Amino acid sequence: MKHLADCFIPIYLVNVNEIKNDMEPINSELHKLVRSHFPSLNEPKLVEEISKAGQLMHAKAGTVMMDYGRYITMVPLVISGSIKVVREGNDGGHEIFLYFLKGGETCSMSFSCCMASKKSDIRTIAEDDVTFIGLPIKLVDEWMMKYKSWNRFVMSAYDNRMLDLVEVIDNIVFNNMEERLKNYLIARSEALNSKILLGTHQQIALDLNSSREGVSRILKKFEKSGAIILGRNRIELNT
DNA sequence: ACATTAAGTGATT
DNA sequence: AATCACTTAATGT
């Protein structure tokens, strides 16, 4: 198992220097990607602006894309792959899993951070190889007033995340590990678009701020009830 | 064959 | 439900 530190690449720090203006040509590839993956952004001028100012970027699986305390310079529009968003517990040390970002989504945390030009409160890690469009935060702010569809897009991003977070809180408050683990498996399966999840019980326990034994026991229970099939480093979800 | 790492189990708090 | 101590099973060298 690869350690995160080994593949740390501060991709948000790459290409920060050139925020070019209207002289920039329209990138037709970006134009196409926005239209196919973000149909709700339906104002032609907005799509045009995104294609001019955005940059197509990649992150390999395991890359820490954003970390606590770093300033956010770009807002990502996720094209493909998925990004795990986690938060460090108050007491330090432990991390808890919040949600996954998938294609067609964006990071709502980055909006709140960039508007107040604050440091990040969260850490994001590429769960698999990720492709996304990086948008300079300066424009993101401008567009809020200029484009209705952008405004709606940002708002609904907040809304969707809110629902995820409420679920997380619910499950923590009620100390319901079974629910939490179930949700986690489903979320991860959907994010990766695969019924087969690779990784150790220990990793899952870290994500959920639980213990390896606890996770193993619940997984075993799920297996007995026929919901999943277990293997070493492998969990297969049944439908 | 041996070492290492992942997973399972029972007892204790 | 977390932690400990220990066993069993799978994999890598």
Side-chain angles (χ1 to χ4, degrees):
Chain A
M1 181 61 50
K2 235 193 299 185
H3 264 88
L4 293 177
D6 297 334
C7 35
F8 181 90
I9 305 164
I11 57 168
Y12 275 76
L13 301 180
V14 176
N15 298 323
V16 178
N17 33 342
E18 64 315 295
I19 294 170
K20 301 228 172 101
N21 37 0
D22 315 292
M23 295 289 93
E24 204 68 34
I26 294 176
N27 180 329
S28 63
E29 192 191 356
L30 283 192
H31 202 273
K32 245 184 273 171
L33 284 173
V34 173
R35 295 189 51 119
S36 58
H37 289 76
F38 298 88
S40 69
L41 301 175
N42 53 14
E43 287 158 290
K45 287 200 77 178
L46 171 61
V47 181
E48 203 174 288
E49 284 214 51
I50 293 174
S51 335
K52 280 179 184 169
Q55 296 183 34
L56 195 59
M57 299 172 99
H58 299 275
K60 290 227 178 71
T63 309
V64 175
M65 298 175 68
M66 178 45 67
D67 210 344
Y68 312 108
R70 296 240 306 275
Y71 283 100
I72 289 160
T73 60
M74 292 207 159
V75 170
L77 298 181
V78 182
I79 300 295
S80 65
S82 61
I83 301 173
K84 186 167 81 176
V85 180
V86 302
R87 169 102 176 112
E88 191 172 286
N90 320 316
D91 25 48
H94 291 294
E95 263 180 12
I96 65 168
F97 158 82
L98 295 178
Y99 52 79
F100 286 108
L101 286 175
K102 295 169 273 189
E105 296 182 334
T106 189
C107 178
S108 50
M109 288 307 291
S110 57
F111 291 121
S112 47
C113 289
C114 84
M115 283 171 199
S117 81
K118 269 175 38 181
K119 294 176 182 174
S120 175
D121 293 322
I122 51 159
R123 167 181 288 159
T124 64
I125 302 146
E127 176 77 3
D128 53 1
D129 290 356
V130 175
T131 302
F132 64 98
I133 301 175
L135 298 173
I137 59 170
K138 184 184 157 235
L139 296 172
V140 165
D141 212 5
E142 282 177 29
W143 294 344
M144 282 298 280
M145 276 160 287
K146 255 165 104 180
Y147 299 107
K148 232 186 349 191
S149 67
W150 179 256
N151 196 301
R152 260 189 271 115
F153 176 70
V154 173
M155 286 307 168
S156 78
Y158 270 117
D159 193 43
N160 288 333
R161 283 321 129 211
M162 203 57 126
L163 293 174
D164 286 330
L165 293 180
V166 167
E167 206 169 78
V168 171
I169 293 168
D170 259 17
N171 287 328
I172 292 175
V173 168
F174 294 115
N175 227 334
N176 194 339
M177 265 309 295
E178 276 196 34
E179 265 311 286
R180 211 140 73 88
L181 182 51
K182 193 175 96 193
N183 291 338
Y184 173 87
L185 294 176
I186 292 169
R188 199 164 139 197
S189 163
E190 281 174 0
L192 293 171
N193 210 359
S194 160
K195 296 253 162 238
I196 294 167
L197 305 178
L198 301 176
T200 66
H201 298 179
Q202 178 68 69
Q203 273 305 325
I204 296 173
L206 285 172
D207 278 345
L208 300 181
N209 198 10
S210 174
S211 66
R212 192 216 91 222
E213 297 92 321
V215 168
S216 288
R217 284 186 175 115
I218 297 170
L219 286 173
K220 200 81 211 157
K221 224 168 124 184
F222 288 168
E223 185 180 42
K224 273 180 197 148
S225 78
I228 59 174
I229 299 167
L230 292 174
R232 190 187 168 92
N233 259 308
R234 186 179 190 281
I235 299 168
E236 183 174 352
L237 313 211
N238 291 326
T239 30

